[in-house]
Amino acid sequence: MSPHTLIRVLLIGISIMATLTTTQRAEAEPTRPNILWITSEDNGPHLGCYGDTYADTPHIDALAAKSLRFRHCWSNAPVCAPARTTIISGMHATSLGGHHMRSGVRLPADMKLYPQVLREADYYCTNHSKTDYNFANGDAGWQKGGGKSPWRNRPDESTPFMSVINFTISHESQIRKRPHTLVHDPAKAPLPKYHPDTPEVRHDWAQYYDKLTEMDKMVGSVLKDLEADGLADSTIIFYYGDHGSGMPRSKRWPFDSGLRVPLLVHVPEQFRSLAPKDYTAGGESTQLVSFVDLAPTVISLAGVKPPAYMQGTAFAGAFAGPSKPYLFGWRGRMDERVDMVRSCTDGRYVYMRHFYPDRPYLKHVDYMFQTPTTRVWKQMFDEGKLNQDQAKFWQPKPAEELFDLESDPDEVNNLAGDAEHTERVSMMRDAVHRWMVDTGDMGMFPEAEMHRVVPEDQSPREYALSHTALMTRLAETALDATNFDSDMTTEKAIELSADPDAVIRFWAVRGIGIRNANTPAAIQAVKRAMNDESPSVAIAACEAMQVIGDKADQQAVTDRLLELANVQRVGHFAAIEALNVLDLQIPLDAKLKKQIAALPRSLRKPPPRVGKYVGRLVDDISSATP
């Protein structure tokens, strides 16, 4: 064989070996999946694929027929901003102090949000077009060039994409939009037991379903574009709603009706190794998943290990983790109304823990009262025209509730006091307690107090991690103080009302008021607390004194609350807290309403995203009719 022939043979051999090596590498390391999240606003699982016969959602139903449908997915928060904060961070917004609607808190400097993690893995990440996150610093990491077919704008076809496409057509604001010609028959609208059966309510529910049909068409359009571009076989698709329906008592409340959302996950054949463990096309999963799990899951699908600080558990991909026994939800300040609720579910039972049991479920929230259902519901309550299931939500709450979703899907029958459920209530109560401690729940701090004690150059999360002993003691104090049947005695509450930590004093004073502990020692402790250095403690003391004080004390309470409701003296967060307590004062006479109307409405430079709430409260309280 000549030298030239030998060289030619060697070159051919080298070429063949290189081709084989490349092929083996491609087989060992398949192309990474594209990931598409299609999201819709303010809708629970009111879809045909979830068994809702009133719904008309053929495109989503067709997607479900080739996807895994999750029966139990919670949004963790029953309103958009904290829910989306949880999604993008992979952490409960309560751990970040970003659980209120709305707010702007600092994130830890070294924390990465999931788009940032994916971009480091060379993914093209876009969002069309909703962010609404409760943090004041940092870039979410989204790239420009979104739109409803964002993959067309990526640098080249070899770049994997992760895109979110969000539809607002089903949002709460669209339910009440008039004029609207109904497509769904309002006479056939399924009404929950807690809503009165009136034409206004039936119209709102029918219009809600109309909007879901419109949203369904938009989902179908996106899926059609993906198919037309030849990407359907290389794209993992999620479809989910961002929390429960926009109807009152669903939105803003951590019942199952406010937290349970549809979640469909479609995994193409070539990526089935990344699918959830129980994946079957057209099947149903009973695994418990929630929004805190979405960031770890999408990172896991990209082949990257989720950051250790993320609290969620991936349910798909290379780093999928174990199933959970419980999901957790919460409620913080909802626009201008202060509240604190924690809930959990095992898939069948829902446990709720109220930290303001002395206040009604529903109070006037300007945005919510623009929906006709809300207005007629409240009017009928005032007129005494509601049955027990409908009226309860305008009245004070129990400390604990337990609902059986099998026998009571509308969550109106509280089983917490039934002897047969004693053990279950105890287990779920303990689970909530452990979760609050383990996650560093900053919701245990009144919002004004959180902003007062956390240094400006520190995030609430970093503060919680550096005060673990306080967080543990705080959870026990808050739970005991707000439970009518706990072991906390009046004497213990009085002792804690002088604690070195203001947030402990806050819950101790609340406990005295909730128990109506009107002993001389308790009254003296509360009067002292009315002048506490912490505005939140002083406001809590005023609220307690409304209950335990005599008539001679009430004018001093009113005067102090008016001082604490002055936003220019105490800031927005404390003013909101004080106005919420003033609104509970009876009687709210003409003189007091005039004094409230004269209060300043805002600072020139309010904190992020909360500038309108003081003014809304001033308007509502000063114009309220008896």
Side-chain angles (χ1 to χ4, degrees), residues 203-218:
H203 189 291
D204 286 349
W205 273 108
Q207 186 161 333
Y208 165 67
Y209 277 87
D210 286 354
K211 293 301 176 181
L212 294 188
T213 299
E214 293 180 43
M215 178 271 293
D216 177 78
K217 293 177 181 178
M218 296 175 178

Side-chain angles (χ1 to χ4, degrees), residues 391-402:
K392 69 173 286 187
F393 296 102
W394 300 97
Q395 299 170 331
K397 310 176 286 289
E400 294 182 309
E401 294 186 279
L402 181 74

